[in-house]
Amino acid sequence: MTRARSTSPSVSTAMAPDARTVGLRQRPRRRFATVALAVSITAALGLAGCSADPLAAQYKEGSDKGYIAGDGSVTSIPADERGEKISFSGVDESGETIDSADLAGQVTVVNFWYAACAPCRAEAPELQELNEKYSGKGATFVGVNVYDQAETATSFNQTYGVTYPSILDVDSGSVKLAFTGSVPPKAVPTTIVLDKEGRVASRILGQLPAESILDTLVRETIAE
């Protein structure tokens, strides 16, 4: 007798997908999805950082002034829209205490900087010129050094001819904290003009776009 042959279809091992091959095919998709998710989260955090800035929010409401962090953009706030006065104090590179209470009644220009910051070095001569121009004429300049110790800050002043003092804020961070909401994290340099009541009247994020711009902001605030 002839034994019947099986009619079950054979399975080609060449065509059957190996489990390891499937895994390799799927991994790029999972990796791409992970990267895409990370990018989305980073973008969301970036947007959240901008929206948390109250000065930025004011100028997203429809005024003709803009806000782009760190690009030298100028924010000017009308007197009737300014917030509470900012109180701060600290010790400068000479060991002297600077207190905002002693500056009341005059316009104060506060510049956040540190020695290794290239834009800070570039704008230092312009800030010094304006400091000399307004000395005894209604405005005082104060620096806030966010990273350096006294020796480095003093060396910077000698190199660039800066004569106004700077609070050394690297250890306590108290001055930067006092300006929270006005100075975004890592936005150095930033220059703030406080009115005679100690309220933020204007702000320049990043290097001064032109000396004349800060000159105008200071002059107009003094004239209020």
Side-chain angles (χ1 to χ4, degrees):
M1 296 179 59
T2 303
R3 184 174 297 174
R5 297 179 179 177
S6 172
T7 58
S8 300
S10 61
V11 178
S12 172
T13 57
M15 297 297 293
D18 180 74
R20 289 174 297 178
T21 304
V22 172
L24 290 174
R25 289 175 184 168
Q26 291 177 342
R27 280 176 197 151
R29 289 188 177 181
R30 289 199 296 268
R31 188 177 298 118
F32 179 79
T34 302
V35 172
L37 178 60
V39 171
S40 298
I41 293 173
T42 301
L45 290 176
L47 290 174
C50 290
S51 62
D53 183 348
L55 295 185
Q58 288 184 32
Y59 287 90
K60 287 180 180 179
E61 292 176 356
S63 71
D64 59 353
K65 298 180 178 64
Y67 167 84
I68 303 176
D71 70 343
S73 58
V74 180
T75 301
S76 183
I77 308 173
D80 60 352
E81 296 180 14
R82 294 171 191 166
E84 298 295 323
K85 72 175 182 178
I86 295 179
S87 298
F88 61 93
S89 65
V91 177
D92 68 15
E93 60 272 82
S94 300
E96 300 293 327
T97 298
I98 298 175
D99 195 310
S100 59
D102 299 328
L103 305 173
Q106 59 185 319
V107 171
T108 304
V109 180
V110 183
N111 176 255
F112 288 78
W113 69 283
Y114 63 96
C117 161
C120 301
R121 297 194 297 268
E123 70 179 12
E126 297 177 322
L127 289 167
Q128 175 59 24
E129 286 184 14
L130 291 175
N131 171 59
E132 295 174 2
K133 178 177 180 177
Y134 287 102
S135 179
K137 298 179 180 178
T140 298
F141 281 64
V142 175
V144 178
N145 190 301
V146 297
Y147 287 131
D148 304 320
Q149 298 295 341
E151 184 178 352
T152 302
T154 299
S155 178
F156 180 96
N157 291 343
Q158 293 172 346
T159 300
Y160 294 96
V162 176
T163 60
Y164 58 85
S166 288
I167 295 173
L168 301 180
D169 201 42
V170 60
D171 292 327
S172 69
S174 62
V175 179
K176 189 173 183 179
L177 181 62
F179 281 84
T180 298
S182 298
V183 181
K186 299 183 180 180
V188 178
T190 289
T191 303
I192 304 284
V193 178
L194 300 177
D195 65 16
K196 297 170 187 177
E197 298 178 28
R199 305 175 302 169
V200 176
S202 55
R203 177 185 67 180
I204 299 175
L205 288 174
Q207 182 180 339
L208 301 181
E211 181 181 332
S212 60
I213 292 177
L214 180 57
D215 188 4
T216 299
L217 294 173
V218 173
R219 185 177 66 252
E220 291 180 347
T221 309
I222 292 174
E224 292 178 348

